[in-house]
């Protein structure tokens, strides 16, 4: 991914996912590629075939919003994907200018203090590339991946322990890639993104497949299905909040349904984490991590 033709790549990927019958066309005849033909998209959007070809090939990168919205209707894009498409079609801004206005990725001290007061709720802060920047003790007890410096998307795709923890791994990975693309928007040539996408594309077939689909989703809360090595299977709900005054940092807070079995197990995990952090005590979490390390060394 070099970001040189992000608009064209998006249009082509989404065109290939729309069947002729989805837009009232006959699906008969031999088709060399899946989905709609370019000329069919152009006809339905009310533009010339040559103009649409130029858009896909990157020879025209600044179509009007009206044209993009017409294409979005043909491609059956939802509101998030339509906004993403319009963003890709906006006049390009110099990369240097974008970097000059970026604010430091520092988590405000008040937010760090807030995380630590939520002893019963796992919570962490991430940037738009899913790098973990801060997390409370209960969140780190939930998974070692919630440690500052760890890229959460990379961990979910490449760490076998994360795959075992996530009973909804397939759904989570699909949402994670679509949310990343939506959060990045047109800034697809950002060096950090290029590095992350490049590594994951090489090391994960599933990531490469999901990235090529050009799915876009907003950053929403979800229900996570977990299978923790210490407390077993339980469910956690999460909500995400943008942190004002930062460079697109967001805070994610988990909670269990009050009075549920999941709430009991989260409380148990919290007790184990508290004993782990007690002065002079060696808790079950440390023992578990040491055993895991020994197993990897064997």
């Amino acid at each position: 991914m070099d970001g040189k033709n992000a608009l064209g790549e998006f249009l082509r990927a989404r065109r290939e996912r729309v069947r002729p019958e989805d837009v009232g066309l006959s699906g008969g005849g031999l088709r060399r590629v899946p989905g709609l033909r370019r000329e069919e998209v152009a006809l339905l959007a009310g533009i010339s075939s040559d103009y649409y070809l130029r858009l896909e090939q990157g020879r025209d990168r600044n179509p009007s919003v009206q044209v993009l919205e017409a294409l979005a209707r043909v491609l059956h894009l939802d509101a998030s994907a339509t906004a993403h498409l319009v963003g890709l079609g906006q006049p390009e801004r110099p990369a240097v200018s974008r970097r000059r206005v970026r604010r430091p990725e520092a988590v405000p001290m008040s937010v760090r203090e807030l995380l630590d007061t939520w002893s019963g709720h796992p919570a962490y802060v991430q940037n738009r590339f899913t790098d973990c920047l801060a997390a409370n003790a209960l969140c780190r007890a939930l998974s070692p991946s919630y440690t500052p410096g760890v890229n959460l998307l990379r961990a979910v795709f490449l760490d076998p322990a994360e795959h075992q923890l996530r009973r909804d791994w397939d759904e989570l990975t699909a949402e994670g890639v679509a949310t990343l693309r939506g959060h990045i928007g047109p800034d697809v040539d950002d060096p950090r993104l290029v590095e992350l996408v490049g590594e994951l594309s090489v090391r994960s077939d599933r990531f490469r497949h999901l990235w090529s689909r050009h799915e876009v989703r907003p950053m929403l809360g979800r229900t996570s299905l977990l299978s923790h090595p210490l407390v077993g299977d339980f469910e956690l709900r999460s909500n995400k909040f943008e942190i004002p005054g930062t460079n697109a940092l967001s805070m994610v807070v988990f909670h269990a349904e009050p009075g549920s079995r999941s709430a009991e197990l989260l409380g148990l995990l919290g007790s184990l984490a508290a004993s782990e952090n007690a002065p002079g005590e060696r808790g079950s979490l440390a023992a578990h991590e040491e055993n895991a390390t020994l197993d990897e060394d064997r």
Side-chain angles (χ1 to χ4, degrees):
M1 183 194 71
D2 58 14
K4 293 181 179 179
N5 187 21
L7 175 62
E9 291 174 2
F10 182 84
L11 289 172
R12 182 173 61 253
R14 300 307 295 254
R15 170 174 63 83
E16 293 175 351
R17 295 174 53 192
V18 181
R19 301 173 302 174
E21 53 267 34
D22 293 337
V23 293
L25 298 177
S26 171
L30 179 63
R31 289 177 176 262
R32 292 179 298 174
V33 294
L36 297 177
R37 298 186 177 101
R38 292 190 182 96
E39 57 268 24
E40 292 171 336
V41 175
L43 175 65
L44 292 168
I47 60 178
S48 71
S49 296
D50 179 67
Y51 181 50
Y52 180 78
L53 178 62
R54 295 203 306 271
L55 291 177
E56 273 205 8
Q57 292 181 341
R59 292 187 286 126
D60 190 319
R61 302 189 182 187
N62 302 126
S64 69
V65 173
Q66 290 79 8
V67 166
L68 294 173
E69 290 178 341
L71 291 170
R73 287 191 292 270
V74 173
L75 300 177
H76 290 187
L77 303 184
D78 61 17
S80 297
T82 299
H84 181 75
L85 174 61
V86 171
L88 293 178
Q90 296 303 300
E92 296 181 4
R93 297 167 296 165
V96 173
S97 297
R98 288 200 301 270
R99 295 188 186 108
R100 282 178 181 170
V101 300
R102 285 183 183 167
R103 287 162 288 191
E105 290 189 331
V107 180
M109 182 56 64
S110 61
V111 173
R112 292 181 179 274
E113 293 171 350
L114 183 60
L115 292 180
D116 291 336
T117 64
W118 286 335
S119 59
H121 297 283
Y124 69 94
V125 174
Q126 66 176 15
N127 62 12
R128 61 190 186 132
F129 305 109
T130 73
D131 296 317
C132 181
L133 303 180
N136 62 15
L138 185 53
C139 200
R140 294 192 297 273
L142 197 62
S143 168
S145 293
Y146 294 119
T147 299
V150 174
N151 180 269
L152 298 173
L153 193 67
R154 182 184 184 279
V156 165
F157 275 98
L158 303 182
D159 187 346
E162 283 294 317
H163 200 160
Q164 295 174 4
L165 174 67
R166 314 286 179 172
R167 289 184 285 137
D168 56 350
W169 187 83
D170 287 343
E171 179 182 351
L172 175 66
T173 51
E175 288 183 8
V177 172
T179 300
L180 174 66
R181 190 179 282 282
H183 210 175
I184 293 301
D187 201 11
V188 293
D189 60 346
D190 187 287
R192 177 71 182 99
L193 179 69
V194 172
E195 176 187 25
L196 178 63
V197 170
E199 178 189 9
L200 291 177
S201 295
V202 170
R203 301 183 61 184
S204 171
D205 291 339
R206 176 156 177 79
F207 177 86
R208 186 165 58 251
H209 166 71
L210 291 172
W211 188 254
S212 70
R213 290 173 60 85
H214 286 256
E215 286 274 6
V216 179
R217 299 187 192 181
M219 185 179 66
L220 300 173
R222 67 187 311 273
T223 297
S224 297
L225 307 181
L226 306 172
S227 184
H228 198 277
L230 294 182
V231 299
D233 293 354
F234 64 111
E235 300 180 4
L236 289 181
R237 300 171 181 175
S238 65
N239 288 283
K240 298 183 179 182
F241 308 93
E242 293 283 352
I243 303 176
T246 65
N247 183 23
L249 302 188
S250 59
M251 179 168 55
V252 182
V253 184
F254 295 96
H255 72 280
E257 181 182 355
S260 66
R261 176 60 175 166
S262 292
E264 294 179 7
L265 294 176
L266 181 59
L268 175 59
L269 183 62
S271 298
L272 293 173
S275 65
E276 176 73 17
N277 294 326
E281 293 190 18
R282 178 178 176 77
S284 300
L285 290 173
H288 172 74
E289 292 174 358
E290 180 177 316
N291 290 336
T293 301
L294 291 175
D295 290 340
E296 292 177 355
D297 292 340
R298 291 191 181 110

